[in-house]
């Protein structure tokens, strides 16, 4: 081996591996290893893999990301093959990593890397000097890193690694996690413990977990992270916090991950002592320019800012009678000299606006199409309201052809049972990205076609040993990353990969667990908010059912605002006779949604107020259909429990027990949602339960009295 590659002056990456790898000792199967669970393969698989991938890999590149890749591959193969690296030094085959620009070894192979862009990769079985090798190449170190993780995945999943050619490149440029982490360590809508960022001990102490976080993200192709909450504190832009962010950026850089910060619009007043934050005031613009310069001095590859403005009490340009474009463009000018970007959120609504909340963002942003600077990307939640179990796609997608838009998904399950419910979000994400805009392209295609493209996901990560508060919530982080790489990817195939990497490839386990995950989101919709209902949860915490709430100060924070149930019927009329939100969609879509008969049933009550005896496709009345959905949701969860129990022999005891316990909570919660909802709807419609339906366990007063004190993630 040494003789073979010696003349290419290759570097021996084992030393680097020892230096680069985090020292965190993995405790057996507590979930810490995520999907990067490099367990020894079964003997038959080992015999196949070992000759091709020895635990020593070579590159002559000095790109830090290629070095990271080599270190990761060494770590993976050493653990998977169960060998110590030195004992395999004589194995005469291996993997060569690198870029043509940085690695003479790769350059000599004259690989066709066209079309792979800055981040794509090629994995190829080939020969060098008559010796078989596996080559992982990209145009940049980032591509090599992603290709290496893809090769590791092949090995983990027992897929062939000889005779292969795998080419892949991301469809979206910005693949970004949004952490809603506060500087005091509390994570808004976080269900996995305190923030991963220990701001108190940064920048001096770089917790090894930061490196493992970066590894996990890089393995999915995630290339950016916004460190702090969109409900931002100005302090995150002070020198001490910039230094802390810089320390994190140093850890993430070798993994191809850039750091971004949420910016508070009034920071020039709070930190700079200015009298205004008016975006058209020259002093304000100068303050932001100087701030950007200061940040880039500390973090040379800083990505830019994320801004929540004029939403839920946050300050913004509207306070100065300026538009969102004025605000975004002022910041964009400040970051432009550094190649930075501004992600400007369209999650904007106001209680002072009597218009249907579902319409407000479109009304505000659509007229601004073409007015945003070219380094601004407008970040739009997948649906028009707020990360509900099911929403139609946001009408802004496809409606702003001269503006770059990036969808924002919520990975943390604020409205889907926190970390206690097993709800795999792959199908929700895919549904949002595949939605037909009525303009010849899906949401995913619209955004992938932008010159600046991206996908944001509100992170579900905290200090929990499982990272996400449960094993199955890891799959949601995973699915987000995979869909950010390829918005057209199949969520079931993603789940299958995750199960294989997380629990092992035993088909007796992979099939059933993938199937459990596949229907779990629909089950949550069924037991929480069937047929297009939304926003029925308890105030503040957003955990359990409270469709009866009607006394909150802001009208659009009350569930009754959304379901509009009365003796005659239920649902929000968004057709011409109501708010006419349907008119915000492309004509074909609008026409279909304007008529209950052509509205997809899963969205029926989002768009229509219908009588309780409205005839559904099943032949049932609407009321009977609603009850059937509640029952179906509860039955699915009961079934999840049974299936999981049966899998005990195939799953390690710790991870099995934790999941079993959470499923028990979920089943009780699903019944709670069903019973409380049915008790409430019956009190409104005065109808008897459909024949055969089991009455709620308690009366409505009991459900109304039930409190959810100290629920996690609820901002005070
Ligand atoms: C809502 C959350 C709130 C967030 C807000 C947002 O309840 O905590 O601040 O979204 O996205 O869903 O800004």
């Amino acid at each position: 081996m040494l003789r073979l590659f010696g003349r290419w002056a290759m570097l021996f990456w084992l030393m680097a591996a020892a230096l680069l790898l985090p020292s965190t000792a993995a405790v057996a199967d507590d979930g810490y290893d995520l999907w990067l669970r490099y367990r020894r393969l079964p003997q038959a698989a080992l015999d196949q893999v070992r000759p091709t991938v020895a635990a020593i890999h070579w590159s002559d590149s000095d790109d830090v990301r290629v070095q990271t890749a080599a270190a990761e591959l060494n770590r993976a193969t050493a653990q998977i093959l169960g060998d110590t690296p030195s004992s395999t030094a004589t194995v005469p085959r291996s993997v060569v990593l690198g870029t043509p620009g940085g690695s003479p070894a790769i350059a000599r192979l004259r690989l066709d890397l066209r079309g792979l862009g800055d981040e794509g990769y090629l994995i190829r079985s080939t020969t060098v000097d008559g010796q078989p090798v596996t080559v992982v190449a990209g145009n940049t170190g980032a591509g090599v890193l992603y290709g290496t993780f893809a090769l590791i995945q092949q090995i983990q999943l027992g897929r062939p690694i000889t005779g292969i050619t795998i080419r892949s490149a991301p469809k979206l440029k910005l693949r970004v996690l949004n952490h809603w982490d506060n500087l005091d360590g509390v994570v808004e809508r976080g269900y996995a413990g305190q923030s991963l960022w220990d701001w108190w001990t940064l920048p001096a102490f770089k917790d090894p977990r930061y490196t493992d976080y970066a590894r996990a993200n890089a393995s999915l192709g995630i290339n950016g992270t916004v460190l702090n909450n969109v409900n931002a504190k100005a302090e995150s832009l002070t020198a001490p916090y910039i230094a802390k962010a810089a320390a994190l950026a140093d850890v993430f850089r070798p993994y191809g991950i850039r750091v971004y910060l949420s910016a508070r619009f009034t920071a020039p007043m709070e930190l700079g002592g200015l009298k205004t934050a008016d975006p058209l005031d020259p002093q304000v613009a100068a303050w932001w320019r100087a701030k950007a310069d200061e940040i880039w001095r500390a973090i040379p590859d800083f990505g830019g800012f994320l801004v929540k403005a004029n939403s839920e009490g946050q300050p913004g340009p509207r306070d100065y009678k300026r538009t969102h474009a004025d605000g975004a463009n002022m910041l964009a000018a400040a970051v432009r000299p550094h190649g930075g970007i501004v992600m400007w959120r369209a999650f904007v609504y106001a209680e002072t606006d009597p218009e249907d909340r579902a319409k407000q963002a479109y009304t505000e942003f659509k007229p601004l199409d073409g007015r945003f600077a070219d380094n601004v990307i407008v970040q739009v939640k997948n649906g028009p309201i707020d990360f509900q179990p099911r929403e139609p796609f946001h009408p802004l997608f496809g409606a702003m052809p001269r503006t770059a838009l990036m969808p924002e998904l919520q990975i943390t399950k604020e409205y889907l049972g926190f970390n206690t419910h097993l709800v795999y979000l792959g199908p929700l994400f895919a549904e949002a990205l595949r939605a037909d805009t009525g303009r010849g392209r899906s949401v995913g295609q619209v955004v992938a076609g932008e010159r600046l493209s991206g996908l944001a996901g509100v992170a579900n990560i905290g200090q929990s040993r499982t990272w996400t508060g449960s094993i199955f919530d890891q799959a949601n982080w995973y699915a987000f990353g995979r869909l950010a790489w390829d918005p057209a990817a199949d969520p079931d195939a993603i789940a299958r990969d995750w199960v294989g990497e997380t629990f092992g490839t035993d088909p007796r386990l992979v099939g059933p667990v993938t199937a459990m995950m596949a229907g779990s989101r629909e089950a949550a919709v069924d037991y929480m908010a069937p047929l297009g209902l939304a926003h029925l949860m308890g105030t503040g915490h957003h955990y359990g059912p409270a469709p009866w709430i009607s006394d909150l100060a802001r009208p659009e924070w009350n569930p009754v605002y959304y379901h509009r149930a009365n003796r005659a019927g239920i649902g929000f009329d968004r057709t011409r006779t109501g708010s006419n939100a349907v008119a915000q969609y492309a004509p074909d879509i609008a026409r279909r949604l304007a008529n209950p008969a052509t509205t997809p049933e899963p969205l029926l009550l989002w768009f229509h107020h219908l009588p309780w005896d409205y005839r559904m496709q099943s032949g049932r009345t609407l009321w009977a259909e609603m009850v059937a959905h509640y029952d179906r949701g509860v039955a699915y969860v009961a079934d999840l429990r049974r299936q999981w129990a049966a899998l005990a022999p195939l799953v390690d005891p710790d991870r099995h027990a934790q999941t079993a316990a959470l499923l028990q909570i979920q089943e009780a919660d699903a019944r709670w949602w069903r019973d409380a909802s049915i008790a409430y709807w019956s009190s409104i419609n005065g109808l008897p339960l459909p024949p055969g339906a089991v009455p709620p366990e308690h009366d409505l007063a009991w459900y109304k009295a039930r409190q959810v004190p100290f629920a996690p993630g609820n901002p005070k």
Side-chain angles (χ1 to χ4, degrees):
M1 196 72 183
L2 273 172
R3 192 176 48 78
L4 180 63
F5 291 109
R7 63 174 189 269
W8 290 334
M10 290 176 191
L11 300 176
F12 189 67
W13 285 115
L14 281 179
M15 298 305 291
L19 292 173
L20 275 167
L21 291 177
S23 60
T24 317
V27 179
D29 294 328
D30 60 2
Y32 183 87
D33 291 343
L34 296 161
W35 47 90
L36 301 177
R37 194 163 165 273
Y38 303 147
R39 295 296 190 273
R40 198 182 154 91
L41 286 177
Q43 195 56 46
L46 264 183
D47 293 341
Q48 292 220 332
V49 169
R50 186 179 275 123
T52 309
V53 186
I56 296 175
H57 308 291
W58 297 90
S59 170
D60 49 2
S61 167
D62 57 5
D63 185 310
V64 66
R65 292 164 303 183
V66 177
Q67 295 167 16
T68 305
E72 187 71 27
L73 189 57
N74 276 318
R75 173 191 182 131
T77 49
Q79 292 180 19
I80 292 171
L81 304 178
D83 299 328
T84 57
S86 58
S87 73
T88 58
T90 52
V91 175
R93 304 181 198 205
S94 199
V95 180
V96 183
L97 314 170
T99 62
S103 159
I106 296 290
R108 262 166 230 258
L109 294 170
R110 299 188 177 285
L111 301 163
D112 180 7
L113 303 182
R114 284 172 302 177
L116 292 179
D118 281 350
E119 295 179 300
Y121 58 81
L122 168 69
I123 306 173
R124 176 88 161 270
S125 313
T126 184
T127 52
V128 171
D129 291 349
Q131 295 291 329
V133 292
T134 307
V135 170
V136 182
N139 291 314
T140 69
V144 177
L145 180 62
Y146 299 141
T148 302
F149 275 111
L151 177 65
I152 293 171
Q153 186 195 53
Q154 287 284 112
I155 299 169
Q156 281 177 290
L157 294 177
R159 292 184 182 148
I161 51 166
T162 49
I164 54 171
T165 299
I166 302 175
R167 297 172 70 90
S168 184
K171 301 265 187 337
L172 303 176
K173 292 193 184 80
L174 307 165
R175 304 178 298 278
V176 180
L177 288 180
N178 290 185
H179 287 268
W180 286 358
D181 295 20
N182 294 328
L183 302 183
D184 64 1
V186 172
V187 181
E188 182 159 345
R189 311 308 177 184
Y191 313 108
Q194 291 278 107
S195 171
L196 205 53
W197 324 134
D198 186 359
W199 295 110
W200 185 248
T201 56
L202 280 165
F205 177 56
K206 296 177 184 167
D207 190 321
R209 274 195 92 152
Y210 304 152
T211 308
D212 284 337
Y213 164 86
R215 290 175 55 232
N217 281 320
S219 76
L220 304 172
I222 291 172
N223 64 1
T225 179
V226 185
L227 299 176
N228 60 320
N229 193 352
V230 287
N231 296 320
K233 291 267 187 264
E235 285 87 339
S236 63
L237 301 175
T238 57
Y241 279 92
I242 292 171
K244 293 168 194 286
L248 290 172
D250 289 343
V251 177
F252 301 160
R253 190 166 297 116
Y255 293 87
I257 297 167
R258 278 170 189 244
V259 155
Y260 301 76
L261 290 172
S262 292
R264 182 162 167 88
F265 202 73
T266 43
M269 298 165 77
E270 291 164 54
L271 304 181
L274 300 191
K275 295 230 156 31
T276 178
D278 181 349
L280 299 193
D281 182 302
Q283 275 187 299
V284 171
W287 187 90
W288 281 110
R289 270 200 308 276
K291 185 51 74 181
D293 295 348
E294 179 189 349
I295 299 175
W296 260 278
R297 271 194 302 278
I299 312 174
D301 56 351
F302 183 63
F305 296 124
L306 170 64
V307 186
K308 171 178 179 177
N310 295 116
S311 171
E312 300 184 333
Q314 294 302 313
R318 303 296 274 146
D319 303 340
Y320 307 95
K321 305 211 171 1
R322 311 298 186 195
T323 67
H324 283 273
D326 293 331
N329 293 347
M330 180 273 295
L331 285 175
V335 302
R336 179 184 299 283
H338 308 284
I341 60 151
V342 172
M343 296 176 278
W344 190 273
R345 295 177 92 223
F347 178 66
V348 170
Y349 67 101
E351 81 274 26
T352 47
D353 187 344
E355 195 176 42
D356 174 4
R357 176 175 165 189
K359 291 178 69 182
Q360 293 184 28
Y362 180 100
T363 304
E364 180 95 38
F365 279 78
K366 162 81 180 155
L368 300 176
D369 188 25
R371 305 260 300 274
F372 288 94
D374 63 5
N375 58 336
V376 173
I377 186 162
V378 176
Q379 185 168 306
V380 183
K381 286 191 181 180
N382 60 283
I385 291 186
D386 193 359
F387 298 141
Q388 296 302 297
R390 170 165 282 124
E391 297 194 30
F393 74 93
H394 201 298
L396 280 174
F397 293 113
M400 294 186 73
R402 292 180 298 150
T403 306
L405 303 184
M406 77 194 282
E408 175 178 348
L409 303 169
Q410 194 178 45
I411 309 169
T412 190
K413 303 206 309 302
E414 173 181 358
Y415 298 103
L416 283 140
F418 297 3
N419 60 321
T420 28
H421 292 201
L422 192 167
V423 178
Y424 170 55
L425 297 178
L428 188 164
F429 298 164
E431 179 178 301
L433 294 165
R434 288 174 181 181
D436 172 12
T437 62
R439 295 177 165 93
R441 289 186 301 170
S442 67
V443 170
Q445 287 164 337
V446 166
V447 299
E450 308 285 3
R451 105 202 93 68
L452 190 59
S453 62
L455 190 70
V458 180
N460 62 349
I461 300 160
Q463 280 182 21
S464 154
R465 276 298 290 178
T466 60
W467 298 86
T468 55
S470 80
I471 301 299
F472 277 86
D473 277 302
Q474 299 175 352
N476 294 326
W477 178 6
Y478 183 94
F480 166 77
R482 292 281 301 270
L483 285 160
W485 185 272
D486 178 9
D490 171 22
D492 290 345
I494 293 172
R496 184 171 290 275
D497 286 352
W498 177 81
V499 174
E501 292 170 79
T502 302
F503 291 112
T505 54
D506 187 332
R508 292 171 302 163
L509 184 120
V510 174
V513 177
T514 306
M516 286 169 63
M517 292 166 72
S520 60
R521 181 279 187 131
E522 201 58 45
V525 170
D526 279 338
Y527 63 74
M528 288 180 174
L531 299 171
L533 291 171
H535 212 289
L536 304 174
M537 65 290 155
T539 306
H541 53 78
H542 297 170
Y543 190 71
W548 46 80
I549 293 200
S550 62
D551 60 354
L552 302 176
R554 290 183 63 151
E556 80 291 8
W557 281 358
N558 290 294
V560 297
Y561 170 96
Y562 296 93
H563 63 67
R564 312 221 156 180
N566 55 27
R567 191 131 188 120
I570 181 169
F572 198 129
D573 181 2
R574 292 193 162 102
T575 68
R576 205 164 336 150
T577 50
S579 78
N580 205 22
V582 295
Q584 294 183 334
Y585 290 96
D588 276 357
I589 306 268
R591 209 169 308 119
R592 238 176 300 146
L593 295 176
N595 178 354
T598 50
T599 301
E601 281 196 348
L603 291 171
L604 196 59
L605 302 176
W606 185 280
F607 290 108
H608 303 282
H609 185 85
L610 296 171
W612 295 99
D613 61 359
Y614 176 83
R615 202 49 67 183
M616 303 292 291
Q617 278 156 23
S618 62
R620 295 189 189 103
T621 64
L622 170 58
W623 172 228
E625 185 80 11
M626 283 173 67
V627 174
H629 276 270
Y630 288 119
D631 282 334
R632 200 171 74 179
V634 172
Y636 193 94
V637 180
D639 212 46
L640 283 180
R641 281 187 76 187
R642 276 192 292 277
Q643 293 186 60
W644 187 251
L647 291 168
L650 302 174
V651 181
D652 44 280
D654 289 359
R655 291 188 303 168
H656 190 273
Q658 192 210 49
T659 303
L662 295 181
L663 284 171
Q664 188 180 348
I665 299 174
Q666 185 180 5
E667 187 180 354
D669 285 351
R671 289 185 197 285
W672 173 26
W673 269 99
R674 175 214 182 260
D675 287 356
S677 305
I678 290 177
Y680 173 66
W681 305 131
S682 313
S683 80
I684 301 284
N685 63 20
L687 295 171
L689 282 180
V694 179
E697 195 179 345
H698 304 281
D699 65 10
L700 181 58
W702 189 92
Y703 293 108
K704 284 187 172 177
R706 185 167 170 180
Q707 300 295 311
V708 186
F710 309 113
N714 186 12
K716 296 294 175 309

